[in-house]
Amino acid sequence: MSIKRIVSAAAALMLAFFSAFAGEEAPAPQIINISDRNCMSLDGQWKYLVDPYKLGYHNYHQVPHSDAGSFFADKSFDDDRTKLIEYSFDRAGDISVPGDWNTQYEKLYYYEGCVWYRTKFRAEPLEGKRYFIYFGAVNHTAIVALNGKRLARHEGGFTPFNVEVTGLLKSGDNSLVVLVDNTRKKDGVPTDNSDWWNYGGITRAVSLVEMPSTFIRDYSVLMDKAVVGKVRKGKPARHKIFGQVQLDGELVAGQQVRVAIPELKLVAECTTDASGKAVFEMLAAPELWSPDNPKLYKVEIKSAEDKTVDRIGFRYIETSGDKILLNGKEIFCKGISIHEESIGASKRVTTTAQCEELLNTAKELGCNFVRLAHYPHNEDMVRLAEEKGLMVWSEIPVYWTISWGNPATYANAQNQLEEMITRDINRANIVIWSVANETPVSAARTLFLSRLIARAREMDPTRLISAAMEKTRVEKDHFTVDDPLLEYTDLISFNQYQGWYSSSLEDCDRTWWTFDVKKPVFISEFGAGALYGNHGDVRERFTEEYMADCYRKNIKMMTERMPGFAGTTPWVLKDFRSPRRALNGIQDDFNRKGVISDKGEKKRAFFVLQDWYSE
Ligand code: GCB
């Protein structure tokens, strides 16, 4: 082959490669408070095609297909049988959206890879309106196409995204195709190794959203902790309520925006800058949100063409020495960690009732706090927790051994952090953003995490920021946390499994702790495994007796020999599916550290924790 031909073949390949990525740019900026919008649900039975070799995406030499040549085109063998079309969504099986695929079909239980989803829906787009397809979450990457045109690619399995379809949405029938890929990747966030089920699919609700041409895309309404002016006896203290409103559409400086809290008789009138952002502040003495009084106010936000209403609570959270203060008063966080997996069927949560069931169990335990592990949970979960007076620790799946040196991995982690904070910045119950879980200490990792922390503080100056770190042995039974990340976090928060992983039950009785910095100590995990109904000697692993004793000993250790102990979220509310649990007859693909079983039965440890929390 001549040099010229090689060069032109390479150029053709490059062109094919890059043109395939046209239409796979990032989605439109996130629209918040979606439940208040004019939405048409696209949930229901979609068609699905399993595609482990990405046949519908690229050819046998792995050159990506054009839109027309790919499954995004939604053609069918039956359209014209003289043509070779080797797929048909119309002939494919049905799959529920939202839902994970693993628990819908036995053949997909362990499946990790690509699955194509297709739904057809009717629409009547109106002149002058803008349209978006909103996805609550798709695990892990999604490429979205409408009516044969590829539009956007989103990475991150637990945060929402929306794709603009204005102009493409047709009157009458529309075809929406999503290529979902849950392949685990070394450079991914999470990485290829974790301790939860890698549920694939369109796991949260999908809707078609109609917006005015210039609309309110996102906003924050936050309370500053500083008290303004003198506090008069018997009167609530005044604070600054501040925030910003971001418009989307035709942006010129000087657009009017109004933020009102009718119950407080408060109105802020402000105007946008050239980028469509308006900032405001007002003084107020609201009734404060707390676990005992989860008060929410109706907040109205108006622009020339748009209006949205939210329910927002006001509170302030801070630390003072080794104490956590909520609204200026010390609070002990009585928590539990929760995975987003339903009780009973043990699948990805898809309904409000399933969120209710998990949170009500936490309330029954006596909790005022939940750690929503190890990724952002669905919005219903956070909002319901807010109504029930449960404070929340919310985190991104930077878990164990991320590729710290890879800029793309960092960009992915930061994007997930930003999407989480954008969606939930107005939730009063979220008191901690956490950037990582049990990450091995190294210079590259601390730099990675400190950058995430700086970004979180920049987006939201009103919350505590932390990470679930790990313990360090000083000598024999004496432990501490020796982690350079402590310089950046508000808490000394860490997971410790005294009595389960690293030591015997008796060791708990001797373990003692000291810390070199004075910050609140938060035990983000402790626990032990037991199969519900498995009884035996207190020293026998996986019996309820062992687990209950481990809880008793840990509670004693933390309350008596851990200075600055300010809260805990034991691991974990419910037995959850994990591919790392291979002990048949006991684990059967479940991590058995739940204080309730996968079916919801209460283990003895549940009552130990409940008794302690009720003290
Ligand atoms: C941990 C992890 C959590 C695991 C748990 C366990 O430290 O943070 O994701 O599931 O231990 O059970 O091993």
Side-chain angles (χ1 to χ4, degrees):
M1 207 192 251
S2 70
I3 297 269
K4 212 170 146 196
R5 285 185 65 186
I6 293 176
V7 170
S8 66
L13 205 74
M14 292 274 287
L15 199 73
F17 186 79
F18 283 111
S19 61
F21 290 90
E24 289 187 21
E25 295 88 13
Q30 192 192 137
I31 303 169
I32 69 162
N33 194 24
I34 208 77
S35 57
D36 180 54
R37 296 308 192 158
N38 192 4
C39 289
M40 179 175 103
S41 171
L42 299 178
D43 294 347
Q45 295 300 305
W46 292 38
K47 294 292 182 186
Y48 81 104
L49 290 169
V50 183
D51 188 8
Y53 288 7
K54 289 184 95 170
L55 158 82
Y57 184 80
H58 51 213
N59 74 8
Y60 68 120
H61 284 160
Q62 299 203 316
V63 177
H65 296 300
S66 66
D67 282 359
S70 70
F71 287 8
F72 292 114
D74 191 10
K75 293 188 182 145
S76 169
F77 169 68
D78 301 295
D79 292 346
D80 179 353
R81 289 189 177 210
T82 67
K83 297 226 169 89
L84 182 61
I85 298 173
E86 289 186 276
Y87 75 101
S88 166
F89 282 109
D90 298 329
R91 288 172 175 245
D94 292 330
I95 195 157
S96 290
V97 171
D100 65 73
W101 64 55
N102 314 73
T103 59
Q104 296 194 50
Y105 290 100
E106 212 182 325
K107 67 176 181 186
L108 297 179
Y109 182 59
Y110 289 107
Y111 181 72
E112 295 181 308
C114 285
V115 176
W116 294 84
Y117 280 67
R118 199 268 336 249
T119 187
K120 284 197 160 171
F121 64 93
R122 291 185 69 76
E124 292 303 332
L126 302 175
E127 202 46 47
K129 298 281 184 195
R130 292 172 66 191
Y131 293 88
F132 295 82
I133 312 268
Y134 181 93
F135 294 84
V138 178
N139 194 38
H140 186 83
T141 55
I143 304 175
V144 180
L146 185 74
N147 298 327
K149 188 167 165 24
R150 207 175 312 195
L151 295 171
R153 178 179 186 280
H154 180 263
E155 186 159 358
F158 308 96
T159 41
F161 61 97
N162 38 253
V163 177
E164 180 150 20
V165 295
T166 313
L168 249 192
L169 186 70
K170 293 193 296 205
S171 278
D173 283 338
N174 290 272
S175 148
L176 175 64
V177 175
V178 186
L179 173 57
V180 183
D181 187 353
N182 75 334
T183 307
R184 280 174 293 125
K185 294 192 184 115
K186 185 106 215 77
D187 289 342
V189 181
T191 180
D192 55 358
N193 186 27
S194 72
D195 186 24
W196 69 83
W197 210 263
N198 180 23
Y199 288 120
I202 303 181
T203 51
R204 295 185 192 153
V206 186
S207 38
L208 174 68
V209 191
E210 183 184 87
M211 295 300 235
S213 61
T214 300
F215 63 90
I216 298 161
R217 189 176 73 216
D218 107 51
Y219 53 86
S220 58
V221 185
L222 304 167
M223 192 168 97
D224 194 86
K225 63 175 189 263
V227 170
V228 181
K230 278 199 187 129
V231 184
R232 270 183 269 146
K233 249 200 165 158
K235 296 264 182 208
R238 288 201 309 165
H239 293 264
K240 190 170 81 181
I241 290 181
F242 70 102
Q244 61 185 50
V245 179
Q246 178 66 54
L247 302 185
D248 191 310
E250 271 191 41
L251 304 178
V252 285
Q255 281 163 290
Q256 291 289 320
V257 172
R258 185 176 191 270
V259 181
I261 311 176
E263 200 182 327
L264 293 173
K265 298 193 173 53
L266 280 179
V267 177
E269 304 275 2
C270 46
T271 51
T272 63
D273 62 15
S275 71
K277 188 169 94 179
V279 296
F280 67 90
E281 61 176 68
M282 41 200 174
L283 290 182
E287 219 179 284
L288 299 179
W289 183 97
S290 73
D292 295 332
N293 181 32
K295 167 77 184 166
L296 300 177
Y297 288 91
K298 183 172 152 193
V299 177
E300 297 167 351
I301 299 161
K302 261 185 106 182
S303 65
E305 279 184 70
D306 196 16
K307 180 180 168 181
T308 187
V309 177
D310 204 342
R311 294 176 71 229
I312 297 180
F314 302 101
R315 53 95 193 96
Y316 54 107
I317 186 87
E318 61 194 325
T319 64
S320 169
D322 57 9
K323 312 231 172 316
I324 297 176
L325 309 182
L326 177 70
N327 302 328
K329 285 189 223 108
E330 183 180 352
I331 188 157
F332 184 81
C333 301
K334 305 179 196 176
I336 189 79
S337 298
I338 305 182
H339 260 296
E340 197 189 19
E341 196 181 85
S342 64
I343 300 174
S346 287
K347 51 187 179 180
R348 190 50 91 219
V349 161
T350 54
T351 67
T352 309
Q354 291 162 349
C355 300
E356 279 271 357
E357 220 180 339
L358 290 165
L359 295 172
N360 286 346
T361 313
K363 287 294 280 186
E364 198 185 333
L365 260 178
C367 293
N368 60 10
F369 192 105
V370 287
R371 175 182 179 199
L372 300 182
H374 277 303
Y375 37 75
H377 286 211
N378 72 79
E379 196 174 345
D380 265 3
M381 190 81 167
V382 179
R383 284 190 181 259
L384 271 174
E386 187 177 46
E387 277 168 23
K388 290 177 190 294
L390 288 165
M391 291 180 280
V392 164
W393 158 311
S394 184
E395 68 190 77
I396 50 169
V398 173
Y399 183 94
W400 292 352
T401 53
I402 297 288
S403 299
W404 307 112
N406 184 332
T409 306
Y410 179 80
N412 181 358
Q414 181 170 311
N415 186 51
Q416 294 190 47
L417 178 81
E418 290 171 353
E419 290 179 342
M420 168 177 80
I421 296 178
T422 302
R423 192 194 71 182
D424 289 341
I425 192 152
N426 296 309
R427 301 287 66 84
N429 59 333
I430 297 188
V431 290
I432 297 170
W433 300 123
S434 174
V435 298
N437 181 76
E438 289 183 351
T439 51
V441 177
S442 73
R445 160 276 195 184
T446 304
L447 177 67
F448 188 110
L449 298 184
S450 63
R451 286 178 66 198
L452 288 178
I453 291 174
R455 180 65 187 128
R457 292 199 194 282
E458 183 186 24
M459 287 182 75
D460 179 5
T462 68
R463 287 174 172 91
L464 308 180
I465 315 278
S466 209
M469 290 173 264
E470 294 184 280
K471 67 179 192 293
T472 321
R473 189 190 289 267
V474 181
E475 59 172 351
K476 220 167 160 286
D477 302 316
H478 178 196
F479 291 87
T480 189
V481 176
D482 182 13
D483 188 327
L485 198 66
L486 282 175
E487 189 189 325
Y488 304 93
T489 59
D490 291 310
L491 306 171
I492 306 173
S493 46
F494 62 102
N495 303 344
Q496 64 81 23
Y497 280 89
Q498 289 299 90
W500 186 252
Y501 283 126
S502 45
S503 62
S504 70
L505 268 181
E506 293 72 38
D507 288 335
C508 293
D509 294 331
R510 296 184 292 266
T511 306
W512 59 286
W513 302 79
T514 55
F515 304 97
D516 291 343
V517 289
K518 204 169 164 101
K519 293 186 179 183
V521 174
F522 191 105
I523 301 302
S524 33
E525 289 178 31
F526 76 90
L531 177 68
Y532 171 77
N534 183 26
H535 294 289
D537 188 84
V538 80
R539 294 169 62 92
E540 192 189 325
R541 297 275 177 155
F542 293 107
T543 60
E544 286 198 44
E545 286 71 12
Y546 187 109
M547 184 182 179
D549 205 43
C550 190
Y551 267 70
R552 268 183 229 108
K553 288 181 173 353
N554 268 278
I555 291 167
K556 200 164 160 43
M557 173 191 76
M558 294 183 299
T559 50
E560 293 179 3
R561 279 165 276 129
M562 188 176 272
F565 180 45
T568 181
T569 46
W571 194 252
V572 57
L573 184 70
K574 181 191 87 79
D575 290 354
F576 61 95
R577 288 190 205 273
S578 166
R580 297 172 61 84
R581 306 294 164 179
L583 182 61
N584 289 353
I586 291 184
Q587 293 178 315
D588 303 309
D589 281 349
F590 277 92
N591 181 315
R592 293 289 180 202
K593 295 191 192 70
V595 292
I596 61 171
S597 73
D598 49 303
K599 313 248 164 1
E601 298 129 328
K602 296 183 176 84
K603 302 181 195 171
R604 291 194 174 184
F606 181 98
F607 300 103
V608 174
L609 193 57
Q610 191 183 44
D611 284 351
W612 177 44
Y613 282 165
S614 71
E615 266 171 26

